[in-house]
């Protein structure tokens, strides 16, 4: 082993681009050293004599000037790991970060471990065995120092001291381990070496189809593979001074970028077929056609220039933002991103579409693909089907029309009313429907539940804190559900039991039942905000009083409606509604309607001049009718004919007294719960004062106490009607379901 390590050190042995320059997890390295120490077989190494002109990579992160004469075809992970530990060198991880592999050794137990904080404090361990092979290392001085340190914390017998020194000596001699090596002669060409590598690794460690293609690229188009890896590396690391593909949606791997290139250049999704095509092998004779191979690589070269273009890449990623998605935590399928990028590139390159118009269509397509999990199962088969539908499209407008046709045939009316509510009946933390609902809230400009902050303004993927700015909160807290014997996490963690909140509110709510916290928060909202908050967060009326399973069913349906609304907004089918403000003059001019009623007084009978409870009841009936319907406005101080009579007939000392009188009436006769939904104020018209009582649609059925009876009224047309018996039950069931 020592000669192999030195050959790597001096550049005699190198790593061809057939394999990736990433090593095992540290636990694999630990196991390798344990096997070597115990004399277990660790397999053979296969080399290839490259010749003096070789451009093979060197192992580790240190650069060499000599061209390696031997390249590792099989066994790179083992040999790279040995080199890194014996020489104390850094290696590249799959995230492109450099790292030292530190393996610890316990001489008394003859045990290897991956070094960590606890091992660093444990004097029974050599925390980093690399020290044993440093230049000038003196094993006798080291062993004595190790024994002295260990003796300071525990007593050692003579036998233990001898065992520890013997184990250290045995470990230090580990480089003398003999490997079995095989070497392919320089006369073996690069293509055959690639074929050997694929066949060797086809058994044992399985390679996927992208590995095979990357192998071919290493042999026939080394620059192309290097470009893929360089782009992937730069896109995985933020904070760089120079432009890169870095983003907050995904850290693309070379494999994923390869799929984008292949999709654009060869119009294929199945990489299994691409390998044969790139080799130029005839499907019938099996012979390799060099011209055909070169032609396919020419297509790949042109396509890769487009797919790795930073302008194209970042403009496309804007489609995800348009679709309401903001960061990788909302992405359930990176494949959906890559395939959507392919469709973007095809529209851009093959049909010369306007970038803005194309990105909008891709945003709609990505929303559909992400929501439905289109590329979650058998993604290559599904995308091949999509590519087949787009093949032969004559021009750009037809291409966009076909993309939207695919979306519309997927998102049918049955999908919105049946499939999506069913998909939402899950507790999966990374459900496509969960993320689509969150994206929908962003598209619709929603605010966090019972919060003034917009969800989109609370999301900054570049910020990392101990808690997310907003988080999912159980509407029916887990602790409360446990109290009522609902402990199955599949029920507790249903998507429909979560809402986006600011985390301080989440901490305050704790395990209270919703009936203890929701009414107060709900009532604190303004009349304008309350309907929006209920719609955004798909909350049924009076949801805090619902039975849990009934609540989940109702909310799933409302969540599906919200996602449908957001999708229509994304596609331009819905225009934002402008708020309508109606002046007192307009209310008077339009007369009494289903949403407006006039009353001359609140308490005084104009015929007798006395306070009369019938007058109280008349106003309360109107208020209750509005609460039980769609809301409305009661104007006190206005006659049935629309003439303003003012407030003097009621004889209140001042307007504050009149407002307090009305509040007390509502509290005593209808219920305090409804006060937040009733908003009295005073205005002036024709030189007289008028009390304007604006009513929202109520959260539950409102009954009026009239002596021992509880009466139910509803507003319809320009009159308030009383319902009784089954009519009340039917109406309440329909209105407050």
């Amino acid at each position: 082993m020592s000669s192999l390590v030195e050959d790597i050190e001096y550049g005699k042995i190198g790593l061809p681009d057939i394999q990736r320059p990433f090593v095992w997890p540290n636990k694999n390295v630990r196991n390798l050293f344990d096997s070597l120490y115990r004399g277990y077989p660790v397999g053979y190494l296969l080399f290839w004599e490259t010749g003096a002109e070789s451009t093979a990579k060197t192992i580790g992160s240190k650069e060499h000037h000599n061209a390696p004469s031997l390249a590792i075809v099989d066994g790179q992970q083992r040999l790279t790991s040995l080199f890194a530990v014996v020489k104390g060198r850094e290696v590249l991880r799959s995230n492109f970060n450099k790292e030292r592999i530190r393996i610890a050794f316990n001489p008394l137990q003859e045990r290897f471990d991956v070094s960590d904080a606890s091992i660093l404090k444990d004097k029974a361990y050599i925390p980093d065995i690399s020290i044993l092979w440093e230049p000038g290392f003196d094993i006798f001085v080291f062993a004595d120092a190790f024994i002295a340190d260990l003796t300071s914390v525990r007593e050692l017998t003579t036998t233990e001291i001898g065992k520890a020194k013997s184990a250290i000596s045995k470990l230090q001699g580990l480089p003398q381990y003999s490997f079995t090596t095989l070497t392919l002669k320089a006369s073996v060409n690069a293509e055959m070496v690639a074929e050997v590598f694929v066949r060797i690794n086809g058994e044992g460690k399985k390679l996927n189809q992208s590995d095979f293609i990357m192998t071919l690229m290493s042999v026939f188009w080394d620059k192309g593979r290097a470009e893929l890896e360089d782009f992937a590396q730069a896109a995985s690391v933020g904070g760089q001074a120079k432009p890169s593909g870095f983003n907050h949606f995904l850290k693309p791997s070379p494999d994923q970028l390869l799929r984008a290139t292949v999709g654009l250049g060869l119009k294929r999704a199945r990489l299994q077929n691409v390998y044969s095509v790139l080799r130029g092998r005839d499907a019938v004779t099996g012979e390799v056609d060099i011209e055909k191979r070169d032609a396919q690589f020419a297509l790949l070269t042109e396509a890769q220039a487009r797919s790795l273009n930073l302008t194209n890449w970042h403009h496309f990623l804007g489609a995800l933002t348009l679709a309401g998605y903001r960061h990788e935590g909302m992405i359930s399928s990176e494949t959906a991103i890559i395939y959507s990028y392919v469709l973007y590139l095809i529209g851009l390159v093959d049909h010369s579409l306007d970038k803005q118009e194309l990105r909008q269509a891709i945003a709609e397509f990505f929303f559909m693909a992400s929501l439905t999990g289109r590329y979650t199962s058998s993604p290559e088969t599904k995308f091949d089907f999509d590519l087949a539908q787009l093949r032969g499209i004559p021009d750009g407008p037809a291409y966009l029309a076909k993309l939207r046709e695919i979306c519309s045939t997927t998102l049918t009316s049955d999908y919105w009313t049946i499939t999506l509510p069913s998909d939402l009946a899950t507790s999966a933390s990374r459900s496509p429907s969960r993320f689509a609902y969150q994206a929908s809230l962003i598209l619709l400009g929603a605010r966090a539940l019972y919060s003034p902050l917009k969800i989109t303004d609370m999301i900054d993927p570049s910020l990392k804190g101990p808690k997310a700015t907003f988080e999912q909160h159980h509407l029916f807290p887990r602790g409360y559900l446990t109290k009522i014997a609902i402990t199955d996490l599949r029920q507790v963690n249903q998507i429909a039991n979560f809402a986006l909140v600011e985390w301080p509110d989440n901490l305050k709510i704790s395990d209270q039942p919703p009936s203890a916290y929701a009414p107060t928060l709900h009532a604190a909202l303004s009349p304008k905000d309350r309907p929006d908050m209920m719609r955004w967060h798909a909350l049924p009326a009076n949801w805090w009083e619902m039975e849990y399973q009934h609540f989940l069913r109702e909310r799933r349906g409302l969540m599906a409606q919200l996602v449908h609304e957001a999708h229509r907004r994304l596609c331009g089918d819905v225009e934002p509604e402008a708020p309508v403000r109606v002046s007192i003059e307009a209310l008077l001019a339009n007369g009494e309607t289903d949403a407006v009623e006039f009353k001359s007084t609140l308490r005084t009978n104009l015929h007798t001049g006395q306070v009369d409870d019938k007058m109280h009841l008349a106003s309360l009936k109107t208020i209750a009718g509005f609460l039980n319907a769609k809301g409305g406005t009661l104007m006190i101080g206005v006659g049935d004919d629309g003439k303003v009579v003012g407030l003097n007939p009621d004889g209140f000392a001042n307007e504050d007294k009149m407002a307090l009188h009305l509040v007390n009436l509502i509290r005593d006769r209808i219920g305090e719960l409804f006060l937040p939904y009733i908003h009295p104020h005073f205005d002036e018209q024709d030189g007289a004062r008028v009390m304007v009582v604006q009513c929202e649609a109520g959260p539950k059925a409102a009954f009026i106490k009239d002596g021992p009876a509880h009466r139910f009224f509803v507003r319809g047309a320009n009159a308030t009607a009383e319902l009784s018996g089954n009519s009340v039950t039917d109406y309440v069931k329909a209105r407050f379901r």
Side-chain angles (χ1 to χ4, degrees):
M1 182 174 77
S2 60
S3 61
L4 292 172
V5 170
E6 293 305 317
D7 284 346
I8 295 171
E9 175 76 4
Y10 293 110
K12 182 179 178 181
I13 295 176
L15 168 67
D17 276 343
I18 290 173
Q19 300 184 55
R20 301 176 185 180
F22 308 136
V23 300
W24 290 329
N26 288 349
K27 63 179 182 180
N28 290 27
V29 182
R30 174 203 64 199
N31 294 341
L32 174 63
F33 272 85
D34 185 69
S35 296
L36 293 171
Y37 181 85
R38 302 184 191 286
Y40 297 161
V42 292
Y44 65 87
L45 303 174
L46 180 63
F47 295 99
W48 173 38
E49 290 182 352
T50 61
E53 293 78 26
S54 171
T55 58
K57 291 182 180 178
T58 55
I59 295 176
S61 61
K62 185 177 180 180
E63 298 296 332
H64 298 277
H65 297 291
N66 297 331
S69 60
L70 289 176
I72 306 167
V73 178
D74 190 43
Q76 180 262 329
Q77 298 285 6
R78 283 165 286 162
L79 200 50
T80 302
S81 300
L82 293 172
F83 176 79
V85 173
V86 172
K87 290 297 183 179
R89 296 286 171 78
E90 292 180 329
V91 293
L92 286 172
R93 289 299 190 192
S94 57
N95 59 3
F96 301 101
N97 290 330
K98 293 182 178 181
E99 178 189 314
R100 273 281 314 280
I101 303 174
R102 290 179 169 82
I103 304 300
F105 180 66
N106 185 320
L108 288 178
Q109 297 179 0
E110 295 184 282
R111 171 191 173 97
F112 290 88
D113 282 291
V114 177
S115 190
D116 58 22
S118 63
I119 285 176
L120 291 175
K121 299 177 182 178
D122 191 342
K123 295 184 179 297
Y125 277 90
I126 300 171
D128 186 355
I129 62 175
S130 296
I131 193 175
L132 274 67
W133 301 293
E134 289 182 350
F137 175 79
D138 189 322
I139 190 170
F140 299 106
V141 173
F142 178 83
D144 288 341
F146 175 81
I147 296 298
D149 280 349
L150 186 55
T151 304
S152 68
V153 295
R154 54 166 292 191
E155 292 185 5
L156 295 176
T157 65
T158 302
T159 301
E160 288 176 324
I161 292 174
K163 181 178 180 180
K165 290 184 175 181
S166 176
I168 293 171
S169 177
K170 181 179 177 181
L171 176 59
Q172 205 262 345
L174 209 60
Q176 304 310 312
Y177 183 95
S178 295
F179 277 92
T180 299
T181 63
L182 302 174
T183 304
L184 297 172
K185 293 296 185 181
S187 58
V188 178
N189 62 36
E191 183 178 1
M192 186 173 292
V193 173
E195 187 71 23
V196 169
F197 172 73
V198 169
R199 292 193 179 197
I200 288 174
N201 287 279
E203 301 298 331
K205 178 189 179 297
K206 294 290 184 181
L207 298 183
N208 57 40
Q209 295 299 325
S210 62
D211 291 316
F212 298 165
I213 297 172
M214 297 286 276
T215 297
L216 281 180
M217 291 178 68
S218 299
V219 175
F220 299 112
W221 186 33
D222 179 61
K223 179 184 177 183
R225 173 165 179 163
E227 288 173 349
L228 285 177
E229 292 177 341
D230 290 346
F231 189 100
Q233 180 175 356
S236 299
V237 183
Q240 303 175 80
K242 61 181 182 180
S244 74
F246 180 77
N247 64 91
H248 293 289
F249 293 108
L250 84 163
K251 296 176 174 60
S253 67
D255 290 1
Q256 291 173 321
L257 296 169
L258 173 65
R259 287 184 180 275
T261 296
V262 166
L264 172 62
L266 305 181
K267 303 299 186 291
R268 293 174 181 264
R270 292 183 184 274
L271 296 186
Q272 181 179 1
N273 299 331
V274 171
Y275 179 72
S276 296
V277 170
L278 287 176
R279 292 205 59 191
R281 176 171 291 174
D282 187 276
V284 178
T285 66
E287 297 295 323
V288 173
D289 185 330
I290 296 177
E291 290 186 2
K292 184 178 180 181
R293 182 189 67 198
D294 291 345
Q296 295 299 317
F297 269 100
L299 290 175
L300 214 60
T301 302
E302 183 179 352
Q304 184 161 295
R306 302 281 192 167
S307 64
L308 299 188
N309 180 286
L310 288 178
T311 301
N312 293 343
W313 173 250
H314 285 293
H315 190 265
F316 156 74
L317 290 174
L320 277 59
T321 303
L322 283 176
Y325 292 80
R326 289 295 183 270
H327 55 76
E328 60 187 346
M330 297 175 69
I331 302 298
S332 60
S333 170
E334 292 185 351
T335 304
I337 296 179
I338 296 301
Y339 285 163
S340 295
Y341 186 39
V342 173
L343 298 178
Y344 172 88
L345 291 170
I346 291 174
L348 185 67
V349 176
D350 295 353
H351 298 292
S352 302
L353 280 162
D354 173 75
K355 279 192 169 185
Q356 299 298 95
E357 188 178 11
L358 173 61
R359 186 170 65 179
Q360 173 62 37
I362 295 299
E364 297 168 22
F365 187 91
F366 176 79
F367 188 95
M368 177 277 295
S370 184
L371 168 62
T372 61
R374 188 174 187 83
Y375 302 120
T376 300
S377 177
S378 302
E380 289 186 344
T381 301
K382 192 65 178 177
F383 193 54
D384 252 342
F385 175 74
D386 289 341
L387 288 174
Q389 294 187 79
L390 294 164
R391 202 166 286 130
I393 296 292
D395 53 36
Y399 182 77
L400 295 180
K402 191 62 180 180
L403 284 179
R404 292 189 164 108
E405 180 186 321
I406 294 173
C407 293
S408 63
T409 56
T410 302
L411 301 177
T412 62
S413 59
D414 282 349
Y415 177 83
W416 296 116
T417 58
I418 300 173
T419 306
L420 182 53
S422 176
D423 288 346
L424 287 163
T426 178
S427 60
S429 61
R430 299 195 60 76
S431 163
S433 54
R434 180 196 294 266
F435 295 147
Y437 172 68
Q438 294 175 0
S440 298
L441 291 173
I442 292 171
L443 283 172
L444 296 172
R447 295 193 295 276
L449 183 60
Y450 302 131
S451 167
L453 295 180
K454 281 191 174 182
I455 292 171
T456 188
D457 294 335
M458 296 163 62
I459 300 176
D460 185 347
S462 65
L463 297 179
K464 304 294 182 183
K467 288 183 74 70
T469 307
F470 74 92
E471 62 179 25
Q472 299 276 5
H473 162 66
H474 287 92
L475 293 170
F476 283 68
R478 182 175 176 179
Y480 166 71
L481 291 176
T482 299
K483 294 177 184 177
I484 60 174
I486 298 177
T487 57
D488 185 351
L489 291 181
R490 290 173 298 182
Q491 293 297 316
V492 173
N493 292 333
Q494 283 271 312
I495 290 177
N497 192 30
F498 283 100
L500 290 171
V501 302
E502 290 184 83
W503 64 261
D505 290 335
N506 195 10
L507 296 179
K508 288 188 292 185
I509 289 170
S510 186
D511 62 352
Q512 300 178 71
S515 59
Y517 74 83
T520 302
L521 294 172
H522 190 72
L525 294 169
S526 71
K528 178 179 178 298
D529 292 341
R530 194 174 290 121
D532 284 338
M533 192 65 68
M534 295 290 282
R535 178 175 59 87
W536 288 329
H537 295 279
L539 296 173
N542 208 32
W543 64 270
W544 51 84
E545 293 184 358
M546 285 184 170
E547 183 269 331
Y548 182 57
Q549 294 298 336
H550 178 56
F551 163 75
L552 293 179
R553 288 192 299 272
E554 291 295 313
R555 189 166 187 244
R556 284 195 293 265
L558 293 174
M559 291 174 77
Q561 291 177 25
L562 192 284
V563 177
H564 190 192
E565 179 187 349
H567 177 257
R568 292 175 60 204
R569 177 70 57 82
L570 172 64
C571 297
D573 294 340
V574 177
E575 293 295 330
E577 293 184 4
V580 178
R581 295 180 179 273
V582 182
S583 67
I584 188 170
E585 292 89 349
L587 291 172
L588 292 171
N590 291 332
E592 292 184 329
T593 67
D594 61 342
V596 178
E597 180 151 338
F598 304 148
K599 294 294 179 187
S600 298
T601 64
L602 174 61
R603 67 178 181 180
T604 301
N605 187 320
L606 293 180
H607 295 293
T608 65
Q610 302 296 315
V611 173
D612 189 338
D613 189 57
K614 291 179 181 179
M615 301 299 106
H616 285 150
L617 183 60
S619 292
L620 291 174
K621 284 165 52 179
T622 300
I623 291 172
F626 286 145
L627 289 169
N628 290 327
K630 300 178 181 179
T633 303
L634 168 65
M635 300 179 69
I636 300 174
V638 179
D640 292 341
D641 57 1
K643 298 288 182 66
V644 177
V645 299
L647 302 178
N648 290 334
D650 268 321
F652 288 100
N654 52 54
E655 291 177 354
D656 287 343
K657 295 287 187 182
M658 185 176 184
L660 180 60
H661 184 78
L662 177 62
V663 167
N664 288 334
L665 275 176
I666 295 168
R667 179 184 288 114
D668 295 340
R669 305 280 294 273
I670 299 179
E672 189 170 12
L673 170 68
F674 297 94
L675 285 175
Y677 304 89
I678 302 168
H679 313 282
H681 69 277
F682 295 89
D683 209 332
E684 187 167 327
Q685 182 67 22
D686 298 335
R689 301 291 287 175
V690 175
M691 179 183 236
V692 181
V693 184
Q694 293 179 315
C695 302
E696 301 176 53
K700 62 183 294 186
F703 291 82
I704 298 175
K705 293 179 183 177
D706 187 13
H710 286 75
R711 302 172 66 183
F712 186 84
F713 296 88
V714 63
R715 185 72 176 180
N718 61 346
T720 303
E722 182 173 8
L723 302 183
S724 61
N726 291 336
S727 297
V728 175
T729 304
D730 293 342
Y731 182 88
V732 170
K733 186 179 296 185
R735 163 69 173 82
F736 298 100
R737 64 185 181 92

